[in-house]
Amino acid sequence: MSSLHPRAGRRCHNAVNPLHSTVYFSPDYAKELAGIGVEDARAAYFAGRAAALGAVGPGTVTATFYNFSHELIARHLPAVWDTASPATVLDARMRAVDATLRRLLGDAVASPEMAEAARLALRATEACSRPARPLYAAHADLPVPEEPHLAFWHAATLLREHRGDGHLTALLSAGLDPLEALVSHTATGKGMSPRWILASRGWRRTDWEAASDRLRERGLLDADGELTEAGTALRADLEGHTDRLDLAPYEHLGAPGVERLTELGRGFLMAAAAAGAFPDDLTGRG
C-alpha cells in the first residue's frame, strides 16, 4: 500500500511542470530558434517540443500533442526540418533554457536547493516507463545535462511528458476529443483562456462553439458554458485516472521526497512567476 496521498503526485507535477513551460514563453527561446532560422513562433514551438522524436511529420505531432489543429501543424512540419535539424533545434532549446532560468531565477540556478531539486526529480524519473508514452520515451533517450538547473529542467521535462502521455490515454478513455478536452478544462477555471487556445492551437471560434455544443449534448456543459455536475465528475475522474497512470515516479521517490520536491518546485515557480515568466492573461475563461 502506497504511503503517498492520492494527489501528492499531481501536486508535485503542478509545482514542477510550469518551470519546464517557462521556456516556451521566453524571449530567449524565440531568439535562439530565430538564430537557427526558425522565426515563426508556432514552427518554433512544434520543432522544439517534437525534436526529440526526430524529423517527424505532422501526423506524429498531432497524435502526441493531441490538442493542436492538424492543419496548423501541417503548415510547419515537416518543412521546419529543412531549416534546422532536430539536433540543432535541441541544442538551441537548451541554450534558451539556460538563458531563461538564469534570467528568471538569478543566483538560485547555482544554489544547493537547485542541486537538491535536480537530484530528487531525476530520482523520480527512474521509475517512469516508456511503453505507450512516446514523448516521454523520446526525451528519456536524451543525455542528462551536467549543470543542476539544466538537469532539473530536463527531469521536469521527463516528468511532464510522462504524465502528459498518460493523460492522453485518460482523455481517450473519457471520450473527449482534442477541443472538447480544452473546452472542458477551461470550464474548470484552471485551463488556458479561450483567447490563448484559439491563438496558439489553430482552432477557430466556430470550432470552439461546436465542441461546446457537443459537450452540452452529453450533459457535461450547461447553457452558460459552465460544467454541469456530470461534467465536474468527468473532469475529476479524468484527473484521477491520470494520477493513477502517473503514480510510479512519485511512489519511487517516496512521500518525504515528493513533499520536498514539491516545496522546492513551488519556490522556484513563484520566483519565476514574479519575474514575469508567464503572460498575465494565460489562464481563465475570457
Side-chain angles (χ1 to χ4, degrees), residues 216-232:
R216 290 189 185 96
E217 290 171 4
R218 290 177 61 182
L220 302 174
L221 210 65
D222 66 20
D224 297 322
E226 301 290 333
L227 289 174
T228 62
E229 185 175 341
T232 300

Side-chain angles (χ1 to χ4, degrees), residues 87-154:
T88 300
V89 170
L90 288 171
D91 286 343
R93 183 177 73 165
M94 193 56 73
R95 291 194 298 272
V97 171
D98 183 41
T100 299
L101 294 183
R102 290 181 184 280
R103 175 171 52 81
L104 295 175
L105 300 180
D107 292 341
V109 298
S111 67
E113 290 78 14
M114 180 63 76
E116 182 184 6
R119 288 194 301 271
L120 290 169
L122 287 169
R123 188 184 308 157
T125 68
E126 293 170 354
C128 292
S129 59
R130 285 181 170 83
R133 287 183 161 96
L135 271 174
Y136 162 75
H139 283 88
D141 286 343
L142 300 178
V144 179
E146 291 185 8
E147 293 187 76
H149 66 297
L150 301 182
F152 180 54
W153 187 88
H154 173 76

Side-chain angles (χ1 to χ4, degrees), residues 239-250:
E239 294 303 329
H241 189 178
T242 303
D243 290 341
R244 292 189 292 276
L245 292 173
D246 193 39
L247 184 60
Y250 302 102

